[in-house]
């Protein structure tokens, strides 16, 4: 009996030991608790989930293994060694360093890739946020170049990878969101003479919804996307619902203050007039020195007749025109899910005001995504995103009279800010008129009139989304069907009040509508199988149908019968317009990765496109790619300090079709009196049009050392783009003005280098540093058999001509300039003034940078974190139409020098030294001004280095959250574009240009002051 009791007691004791209660917490890498994590005793049905504080409790044998799984994080296994565990899960955004999203949404192990790709840390996107999310990528990707329009809130940006390839086509990277291409076009027409920027497609994407960003740079990486991705692709994956207990709520609030950076310097010694004589109607500032005496008022308001003003400096009239802008964001996201189904919903409200205070943006983003399993074999994924955006008074760009920046730059220093505010008046006939010191001026306006009497309201409604269904045919084979849509409508209303000089002296009213629709239908078979112990095959076969439709309509009154009554019918001669753009492309593609022992991977792809814009005999074009990656660290026994080493190489071709309607003659109808006239368009068709083809090669070496504490990625690439589509001028007797031809060969080659390291890593402190560097060499090998030059700019640009020149890089800039003798000395005329060329034929430099780079530092200490980005864009030139005008006006600081006379450093035509004295007024009026400026004088080195981004934050956790309704919280102080470490442009930001086209890089014209932002961001999860 005693033996039985003893045995029973022993069994109970062993059972107690075998099924101990294991407790613990699960946190993420920032030490924030993770609620809803599934905790399973491996190989059993025992399961639990973590509570809102990340804590769990489970009964498990003492020798058991616990499996921790959470959607969006890498699963982890932990041996039960004791009764308490602390588990840190790594998020998928970090896992993307090993598994990345590639073309068509296919995920691959990064170590097997045969081409260069770079992931972007997305954590700072919603903290140090930008209204246009691509501006946040500056300095974070080697080989990526971003310049932005100067139009204000919601302006477009130009994003290129590895240089320019297409002479007259699109050179921007393709934007792909959740596998569906996003239309990123813009109806911009920025020129030095004036124009408008309507914004781009990517600017409306909500950064709070972004889960990951992966940049595919070369042709091998993007070959599966076909012709539209010949310039690289930016792959954006948005957030999905996660398996969890209950409903997770996250809230983000952010406030950014945009502060103007006043780089331009103005003189404060001289006022209105010319040749030292005061003139109350003078637009320029070559009058006498400011002495405080009373002078007649400039105001044309009858109420001001006979008034006088003190002739003194008002140094703040430029600064007072601008104010601090704001960007207030509130975002809430809900996510919930089970193992079978997950849902994610978010709403973001954005309210922003520009530094010109009547420039406002209101944006509403709604996002809904649902995914889940439908039985054992089907998986569905559905997403719908709706955007409503309204931008009020986005300013014109360039030198148009409706750009308020033009007026404020040119204001004489003796005009008081409070007097400028009296920008209009009622004349004797009872009509509203502009109050300006020189009525009817051809290139000026009271800046407050331009701001308040030239009004714009631009609304965008956009719906994007997709529906996909995946069927698991076999354990190793599945097929996905997907349809995606991107549909948006832009409605613009523009008002010009009567007495807007030159562009609308009798007023004007314009309505524009742009309806854009892109539909994509895809199918994709995916096969993954271990063929043997040594070989693994991963293959895909699919197809795509892409349909694009763009319809633009508009009407412009040209003048108003009843002054300032803004209706379509208030005109004697309106101009209606309508344009259509229709295009279809069909494709079949395939890719296969064959791996040998997981260290040698051969990748082969092929795609064939059929384009509706090409003739039947040329509308089918095929482009292949092949690449090989070798994990040297797996193939050979390397020194222990080498953690990882990989060599890769690839060859690829991509194509690029053309815009529609080039194959046959087109016609345009227009009003002619009481009838309609149909006229033949001036472009001769090209029935034998061919697709543009880019052939590229790439080699790369990746390595990591000292347990991955130090690593680098080096890439060399080379590409040639042939069969460019060019419009050449035809003789007048031909009956056509121009004709498109297939010609041209542009070469790009260069290097990209990234360096990553963790110099310090302790239990409480970590320092990560990254360095990006890229240098692209571009050369135009051929234009056509009969052309050695091709103009990118349209005729009529006052100052610049951007050319493609055989044997030179893309984007050569020409302008007027000094005439020089054979020895390079500047020639002066008989009066001692420099002789300026009559045409824009003086080379002033190339507009593209020589190299770009950045240094990114990230620090964490316990719950504190900080990061900063220093970026460099070195080389290239930038031309300033602003400076050409304000120097001729005598308002720029340098124009205060030499007003009493100086001798210009030059020689007469016979070679003798110049000895004629001239004044600063004579000199600056000779080389500057609006109509025929010498751009050579106002072209600068575009090199700049700046503190691009700064974040300082704190994660609240542990005891600080006890008893609080939320599970985690963080607060951050942020800054963007804080200051320049180097800026060789005089008085402006060289990255703020007139538009996002091929010909606008390196050209500045009456841009508003660049800005720095300071922000506060709060993130809460419930």
């Amino acid at each position: 009996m005693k033996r039985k009791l003893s045995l029973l007691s022993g069994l109970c004791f062993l059972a107690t030991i075998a099924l101990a209660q294991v407790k613990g917490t699960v946190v993420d890498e920032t030490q924030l608790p993770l609620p809803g994590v599934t905790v399973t005793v491996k190989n059993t049905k025992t399961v639990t989930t973590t509570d809102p504080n990340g804590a769990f409790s489970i009964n498990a044998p003492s020798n058991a293994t616990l499996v921790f799984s959470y959607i969006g994080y890498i699963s982890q296994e932990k041996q039960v060694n004791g009764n308490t565990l602390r588990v840190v899960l790594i998020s998928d955004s970090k896992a993307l360093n090993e598994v990345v999203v590639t073309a068509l949404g296919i995920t691959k192990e990064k170590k097997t890739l045969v081409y260069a790709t770079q992931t972007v840390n997305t954590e700072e996107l919603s903290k140090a946020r930008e209204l246009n999310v691509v501006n946040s990528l500056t300095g974070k990707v080697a080989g990526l170049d971003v310049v932005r329009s100067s139009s204000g809130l919601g302006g477009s940006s130009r994003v290129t990878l590895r240089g320019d390839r297409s002479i007259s086509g699109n050179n921007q990277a393709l934007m792909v969101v959740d596998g569906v291409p996003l239309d990123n076009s813009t109806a911009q027409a920025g020129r030095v003479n004036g124009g408008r920027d309507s914004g781009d497609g990517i600017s409306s994407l909500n950064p709070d919804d972004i889960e990951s960003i992966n940049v595919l740079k070369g042709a091998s990486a993007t070959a599966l996307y076909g012709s539209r991705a010949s310039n690289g692709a930016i792959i954006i994956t948005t957030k999905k619902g996660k398996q969890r207990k209950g409903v997770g709520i996250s809230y983000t609030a952010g406030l950014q203050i945009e502060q103007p950076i006043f780089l331009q310097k103005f003189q404060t010694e001289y006022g209105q007039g010319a040749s030292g004589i005061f003139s109350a109607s003078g637009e320029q500032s070559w009058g006498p020195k400011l002495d405080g005496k009373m002078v007649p008022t400039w105001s044309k308001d009858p109420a001001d007749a006979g008034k006088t003003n003190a002739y003194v400096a008002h140094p703040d009239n430029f600064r007072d025109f601008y104010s601090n802008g704001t960007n207030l964001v509130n975002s809430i996201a809900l996510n919930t899910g089970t193992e079978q189904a997950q849902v994610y919903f978010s709403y973001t409200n954005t309210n922003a005001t520009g530094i010109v205070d009547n420039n406002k943006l209101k944006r509403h983003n709604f996002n809904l995504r649902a995914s889940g399993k439908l039985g054992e074999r089907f998986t569905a994924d559905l997403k719908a995103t709706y955007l409503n955006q309204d931008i009020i008074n986005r300013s014109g760009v360039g030198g148009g009279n409706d750009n308020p920046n033009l007026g404020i730059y040119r204001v004489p220093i003796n005009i008081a800010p409070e007097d400028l505010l009296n920008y209009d008046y009622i004349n004797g006939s009872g009509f509203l008129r502009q109050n300006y010191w020189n009525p009817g001026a051809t290139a000026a306006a009271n800046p407050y009139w331009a701001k308040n009497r030239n009004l714009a309201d631009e609304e965008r409604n956009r719906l994007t989304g997709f529906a996909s269904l995946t069927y698991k045919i076999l354990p190793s084979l599945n097929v996905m069907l997907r349809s995606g849509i991107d549909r948006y409508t832009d409605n613009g209303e523009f008002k010009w009040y009567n007495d807007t000089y030159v562009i609308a002296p009798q007023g004007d009213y314009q309505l524009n509508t742009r309806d854009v629709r892109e539909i994509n239908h895809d199918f994709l078979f995916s096969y993954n199988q271990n063929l043997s112990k040594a070989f693994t095959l991963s293959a895909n076969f699919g197809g795509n149908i892409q349909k694009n439709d763009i319809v633009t309509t508009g009407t412009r009154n040209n003048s108003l019968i009843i002054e300032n009554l803004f209706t379509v019918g208030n005109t004697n001669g309106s101009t209606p317009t309508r344009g259509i753009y229709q295009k279809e492309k069909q494709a079949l593609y395939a890719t296969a990765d064959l791996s040998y022992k997981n260290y040698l991977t051969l990748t082969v792809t092929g795609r064939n496109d059929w384009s509706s814009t090409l003739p039947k005999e040329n509308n089918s074009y095929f482009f292949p790619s092949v690449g090989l990656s070798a994990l040297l660290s797996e193939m050979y026994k390397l020194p222990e300090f080498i953690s990882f080493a990989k060599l890769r190489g690839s060859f690829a071709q991509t194509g690029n079709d053309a815009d529609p309607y080039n194959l046959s003659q087109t016609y345009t109808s227009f009003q002619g009196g009481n009838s309609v006239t149909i006229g033949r368009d001036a472009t001769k068709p090209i029935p034998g049009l061919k697709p543009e083809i880019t052939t590229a090669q790439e080699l790369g070496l990746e390595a990591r050392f000292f347990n991955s504490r130090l690593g680098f990625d080096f890439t060399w690439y080379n590409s040639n783009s042939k069969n460019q589509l060019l419009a050449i001028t035809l003789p007048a007797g031909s009956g056509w003005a121009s004709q498109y031809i297939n010609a041209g060969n542009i070469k790009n080659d260069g290097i990209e280098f990234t360096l990553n390291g963790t110099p310090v890593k302790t239990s409480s402190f970590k320092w990560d540093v990254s360095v990006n560097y890229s240098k692209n060499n571009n050369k135009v090998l051929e234009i056509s058999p009969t052309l050695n030059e091709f103009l990118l700019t349209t005729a009529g640009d006052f100052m610049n001509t951007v050319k493609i020149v055989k044997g030179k890089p893309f984007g050569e800039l020409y302008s007027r300039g000094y005439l020089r003798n054979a020895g390079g000395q500047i020639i002066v005329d008989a009066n001692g003034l420099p002789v300026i060329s009559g045409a824009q034929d003086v080379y002033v430099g190339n507009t593209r940078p020589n190299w770009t780079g950045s240094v990114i530092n990230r620090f964490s200490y316990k719950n504190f974190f900080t990061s900063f980005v220093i970026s460099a864009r070195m080389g290239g030139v930038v031309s300033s139409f602003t400076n050409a005008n304000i120097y001729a006006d005598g308002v720029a600081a340098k124009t205060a020098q030499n007003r009493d006379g100086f001798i210009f450093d030059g020689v007469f035509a016979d070679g003798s030294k110049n000895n004629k004295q001239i004044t600063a007024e004579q000199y600056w009026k000779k080389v500057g001004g609006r109509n025929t400026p010498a751009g050579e004088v106002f072209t600068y080195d575009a090199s700049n280095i700046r503190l691009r981004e700064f974040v300082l934050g704190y994660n609240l956790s542990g005891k600080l959250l006890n008893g609080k309704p939320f599970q985690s919280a963080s607060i951050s102080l942020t800054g963007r574009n804080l200051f320049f470490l180097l800026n060789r442009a005089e008085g402006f930001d060289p990255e703020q240009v007139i538009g996002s086209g091929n010909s606008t890089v390196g050209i500045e014209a009456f841009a508003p002051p660049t800005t720095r932002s300071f922000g506060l961001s709060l993130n809460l999860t419930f």
Side-chain angles (χ1 to χ4, degrees):
M1 184 66 180
K2 289 183 178 180
R3 288 183 179 178
K4 291 182 179 180
L5 289 173
S6 177
L7 179 60
L8 182 60
S9 300
L11 290 173
C12 292
F13 176 72
L14 290 173
T16 302
I17 296 176
L19 289 176
Q21 188 180 51
V22 181
K23 296 182 178 181
T25 56
V26 183
V27 297
D28 64 14
E29 287 184 294
T30 63
Q31 304 304 308
L32 294 176
L34 289 175
V37 176
T38 301
V39 184
T40 307
V41 179
K42 191 173 182 179
N43 298 323
T44 75
K45 294 183 179 181
T46 305
V47 63
T48 188
T49 58
T50 58
D51 67 16
N53 296 315
F56 70 92
S57 176
I58 192 169
N59 291 324
S62 58
N63 62 345
T65 298
L66 300 185
V67 180
F68 299 84
S69 59
Y70 193 42
I71 292 178
Y73 290 79
I74 302 173
S75 295
Q76 191 173 143
E77 296 185 1
K78 282 282 188 179
Q79 188 86 26
V80 175
N81 292 318
N83 294 336
T84 304
L85 291 176
R86 183 175 177 82
V87 180
V88 180
L89 292 185
I90 301 173
S91 68
D92 273 340
S93 61
K94 292 290 190 298
L96 285 174
N97 291 325
E98 299 301 329
V99 179
V100 294
V101 181
T102 64
L104 305 176
I106 300 169
T107 58
K108 295 185 178 184
E109 287 188 89
K110 188 175 181 181
K111 67 181 183 180
T112 66
L113 297 181
V114 299
Y115 46 77
T117 181
Q118 195 167 349
T119 57
V120 177
N121 186 313
T122 59
E123 294 176 3
E124 288 97 358
L125 293 181
S126 60
K127 293 183 175 70
R129 64 193 306 134
E130 287 263 5
L131 282 171
N132 191 332
V133 69
V134 296
N135 293 334
S136 298
L137 303 184
T138 305
K140 297 178 180 178
V141 179
L144 183 142
D145 185 43
V146 181
V147 294
R148 65 180 70 189
S149 163
S150 58
S151 61
L153 297 178
S156 62
S157 294
R158 185 176 192 267
V159 184
T160 55
L161 287 162
R162 296 183 176 178
D164 296 272
R165 298 168 181 81
S166 183
I167 292 177
S168 57
N170 177 33
N171 281 299
Q172 294 206 57
L174 173 68
M175 305 293 172
V176 181
V177 180
D178 295 322
V180 180
L182 183 78
D183 181 90
N184 195 41
S185 61
T186 176
Q188 63 90 26
R191 298 196 309 158
V192 160
N193 304 15
R196 283 200 169 271
D197 172 27
S198 64
D200 53 24
I202 195 66
S203 63
S204 55
L205 187 66
N206 179 22
D208 295 305
D209 289 332
I210 296 176
E211 182 74 30
S212 68
I213 297 178
N214 189 35
V215 181
L216 307 181
K217 302 176 184 179
S220 295
T222 60
L224 285 180
Y225 277 119
S227 50
R228 69 187 313 177
S230 58
N231 304 313
I234 297 178
I235 311 299
I236 299 171
T237 303
T238 63
K239 295 175 181 177
K240 301 173 67 173
K242 298 178 181 180
Q243 179 183 346
R244 57 169 296 124
K245 185 177 180 180
V247 178
I249 303 174
S250 61
Y251 171 73
T252 299
L255 174 65
Q256 282 80 36
I257 305 297
E258 296 282 338
Q259 182 185 80
I261 303 176
F262 296 105
L263 301 174
Q264 192 65 252
K265 306 300 180 186
F266 298 92
Q267 60 87 9
T268 58
E269 299 179 48
Y270 301 89
Q272 283 176 287
S275 302
I277 300 173
F278 173 78
S279 170
S281 62
E283 290 186 66
Q284 298 181 326
S285 296
W286 298 107
K289 272 198 169 186
L290 299 167
D291 55 12
K293 294 180 180 178
M294 302 305 291
V295 294
T297 181
W298 58 268
S299 176
K300 309 307 176 187
D301 186 346
D304 294 332
K307 289 185 179 181
T308 58
N309 297 318
Y311 190 56
V312 296
H314 297 277
D316 292 330
N317 58 12
F318 183 79
R319 289 173 175 265
D320 287 349
F321 184 76
Y322 301 99
S323 56
N324 287 340
T326 59
N327 179 15
L328 177 63
V329 178
N330 286 278
S331 179
I332 188 169
L334 310 177
N335 82 85
T336 187
T338 65
E339 187 178 351
Q340 297 299 316
Q342 303 85 40
V343 177
Y344 176 87
F345 171 80
S346 70
Y347 166 68
T348 301
N349 176 270
T350 304
N351 279 279
T353 301
I355 60 172
V356 178
D357 60 18
N358 69 340
N359 177 206
K360 298 181 183 296
L361 178 147
K362 293 182 179 180
R363 181 186 291 169
H364 303 274
N365 293 84
F366 298 87
N367 182 38
L368 176 64
R369 187 167 185 178
S371 55
K373 298 177 182 178
L374 304 176
E376 293 295 323
R377 292 180 177 269
F378 284 98
T379 302
D381 193 4
L382 300 96
K383 179 188 174 186
T385 300
Y386 172 71
L387 162 85
N388 173 261
Q389 175 180 277
D390 192 19
I391 300 179
I392 306 295
N393 298 323
R394 177 162 42 195
S395 73
V397 297
N401 280 6
D402 55 355
N403 180 359
N405 302 293
L406 178 148
I408 196 62
Y409 272 106
R410 299 191 62 211
V411 172
I413 201 70
N414 62 288
I415 293 179
E418 57 272 20
D419 292 339
L420 276 174
L421 287 169
N422 183 26
Y423 56 85
D424 59 15
Y425 62 91
I426 303 298
N427 67 8
S429 302
F431 293 110
L432 188 73
R433 290 293 177 261
Q434 180 178 175
N435 195 14
Y436 183 66
W437 38 97
N438 186 24
T442 58
N446 184 311
Y448 290 93
W449 173 278
K451 169 186 168 182
N452 297 299
R453 294 291 181 250
N454 303 148
L455 305 177
D457 186 351
E458 298 166 271
E459 183 181 22
R460 169 172 292 182
N461 287 281
R462 185 171 200 164
L463 177 66
T464 60
F466 68 86
S468 72
L469 184 66
T470 302
Y471 177 67
K472 190 174 184 179
I473 303 172
L474 298 169
S476 58
L477 176 66
N478 62 59
V479 60
M480 179 201 70
L481 302 177
R482 178 175 61 201
S483 290
I485 186 170
D486 181 6
R487 174 75 181 268
Y488 66 91
T489 301
D490 289 342
N491 293 300
E493 181 183 31
F494 305 92
K495 302 175 182 179
W496 293 265
Y497 277 68
N498 283 62
D499 209 27
T500 296
Y501 306 147
V502 181
I503 60 174
Q506 279 78 49
D508 203 351
Y509 183 59
Q510 183 175 350
L511 295 175
N512 290 336
T513 297
R514 185 168 183 257
D515 192 357
V516 180
R517 181 179 63 184
E518 176 173 326
I519 296 176
N520 282 274
H521 302 294
D522 302 274
F523 74 87
L524 183 68
F525 287 90
S526 299
Y527 178 77
N528 294 279
Q529 184 66 44
N530 293 325
L531 303 179
S532 67
K533 290 183 178 181
F535 288 96
T536 301
L537 176 65
S538 177
N540 302 90
F541 171 74
N544 169 263
I545 297 177
Q546 171 197 332
K547 295 182 179 180
N548 295 87
D549 290 276
I550 302 176
V551 178
T552 57
T553 57
T555 180
R556 185 159 188 168
N557 287 25
N558 297 311
S559 63
L560 303 177
I561 298 174
I562 301 174
E563 290 195 11
N564 305 326
L565 175 62
F566 297 104
T567 64
V568 173
N570 185 27
T571 179
N572 284 324
S574 65
T575 305
T577 59
R578 184 176 187 271
I580 59 173
Y581 179 105
Q582 294 178 317
K583 180 177 178 178
E584 181 173 330
K585 194 184 301 179
Q586 301 177 1
L588 291 173
Y589 42 77
T591 178
D593 294 337
L594 181 63
S595 295
Y596 176 71
K597 292 187 177 181
N598 289 323
Y599 61 67
L600 201 62
T601 301
L602 173 68
T603 299
V604 180
T605 73
R607 173 165 172 144
N608 200 97
D609 279 5
W610 291 265
S611 174
S612 66
T613 66
L614 300 173
K616 186 175 181 180
E617 62 273 18
N618 295 328
N619 73 350
S620 173
Y621 49 106
F622 176 78
F623 28 92
S625 78
V626 60
L628 185 68
S629 71
L631 300 183
L632 304 180
S633 51
E634 299 290 332
M635 297 171 64
Y636 306 104
K637 185 173 178 58
L638 301 177
E640 288 188 6
F641 72 89
I642 301 178
S643 311
F644 174 85
K646 170 186 165 183
L647 186 66
R648 65 175 191 269
S650 63
F651 167 87
Q653 282 189 334
T654 58
N656 201 358
D657 60 354
D659 286 336
Y661 318 126
N662 288 311
L663 305 181
S664 56
Q665 186 62 58
T666 58
Y667 298 84
T668 299
S669 63
F670 52 91
Q671 288 180 320
N674 295 322
S675 61
V676 175
T677 301
I678 297 179
R680 188 186 70 179
D681 292 332
T683 300
K684 185 177 180 181
I686 171 174
L689 183 63
K690 299 177 182 178
E692 179 182 315
I693 298 294
T694 295
T695 303
Q697 305 86 35
E698 182 179 312
L699 292 173
L701 176 64
E702 301 173 44
R704 295 198 289 268
F705 309 93
F706 311 113
N707 293 321
S708 298
R709 291 282 294 273
L710 178 66
F712 72 83
D713 188 337
F714 174 82
T715 303
W716 169 87
Y717 62 88
N718 178 76
S719 69
N720 283 82
S721 299
K722 299 181 179 181
N723 290 343
Q724 306 271 333
L725 187 62
L726 309 177
I728 61 172
T729 302
L730 295 178
S734 68
W736 285 276
S738 62
Q739 179 184 25
Y740 282 104
I741 63 170
N742 275 123
N745 183 359
I746 292 184
K747 177 182 179 182
N748 284 279
D749 66 77
I751 60 170
E752 295 166 349
F753 179 75
T754 61
L755 179 68
N756 300 285
T758 305
V760 180
K761 185 178 182 181
T762 68
S763 59
S764 59
F765 179 76
K766 187 180 180 184
W767 172 25
D768 292 319
V769 61
S770 300
V771 177
N772 292 301
Y773 172 84
S774 65
K775 179 175 175 57
N776 182 71
N777 304 303
N778 180 286
K779 189 174 184 180
V780 179
L781 300 179
E782 182 184 2
I783 299 178
S784 81
T786 60
L787 285 177
N788 291 322
E789 292 185 354
F790 181 82
L791 298 183
L792 285 180
T793 48
T794 56
D797 192 300
F798 290 135
M799 184 163 163
N800 304 289
T801 298
V802 183
K803 296 181 182 180
I804 304 297
V805 181
K806 183 178 180 180
K808 300 292 184 180
F810 193 105
E812 297 284 85
L813 187 64
Y814 289 79
S815 187
R816 299 174 192 85
Y818 298 123
L819 289 186
R820 290 176 167 84
N821 60 21
Q825 296 171 304
I826 299 173
I827 299 173
V828 300
D829 60 21
N831 298 315
L833 288 167
V835 180
I836 305 300
S837 62
Q840 295 177 9
D841 56 4
V842 175
Y843 176 67
V844 295
N846 186 269
T847 55
R848 272 54 177 178
N850 294 333
W851 63 269
T852 59
S854 66
V855 178
I856 305 172
N857 283 277
R858 292 186 175 90
F859 303 90
S860 62
Y861 175 70
K862 294 184 177 179
N863 288 353
F864 289 94
F865 59 89
T866 186
S867 65
F868 63 89
V869 180
I870 296 175
S871 66
R873 191 174 187 269
M874 304 300 291
V877 299
V878 59
S879 173
S880 175
F881 188 58
T882 304
N883 284 359
N885 280 266
I886 66 174
Y887 277 70
D889 289 339
V891 297
K894 282 188 177 181
T895 63
Q897 303 169 13
N898 300 316
R899 295 217 173 193
D900 294 330
F902 72 106
I903 296 176
F904 182 79
D905 186 13
V907 297
F908 294 108
D910 61 4
S912 59
K913 188 72 174 176
N914 176 32
N915 59 3
K916 296 286 187 177
Q917 182 167 287
I918 58 174
T919 64
E921 179 180 1
Q922 291 174 308
Y923 172 74
W924 290 116
K925 284 184 175 180
K926 176 75 173 181
V927 300
R930 176 180 175 86
N931 295 326
T932 57
E936 178 186 359
V937 181
F938 307 102
T939 300
Y940 311 94
D941 183 349
S943 297
N944 71 92
I945 303 172
R946 69 184 80 193
L947 180 58
R948 180 75 63 174
E949 181 178 291
F950 176 80
V951 176
L952 173 64
Y954 182 79
N955 289 319
L956 285 77
S957 62
K959 295 180 180 179
L960 293 175
L961 296 181
N962 288 340
K964 304 298 188 300
F966 41 85
Q967 299 166 2
S968 64
S970 68
I971 187 168
S972 308
L973 297 173
T974 65
R976 294 276 305 169
N977 201 44
L978 292 176
F979 55 82
F980 287 96
L981 299 170
L982 171 72
N983 181 16
R984 291 178 177 158
E986 292 190 14
F988 60 96
D989 184 344
E991 293 181 12
Q992 192 167 262
V993 296
I994 57 174
S996 56
N998 292 339
S999 63
T1000 60
V1001 180
I1003 298 177
E1004 182 275 338
F1006 292 108
T1010 192
T1011 61
R1012 63 169 62 93
S1013 69
F1014 302 93
L1016 179 66
S1017 177
L1018 175 66
N1019 301 86
L1020 304 174
T1021 60
F1022 298 86

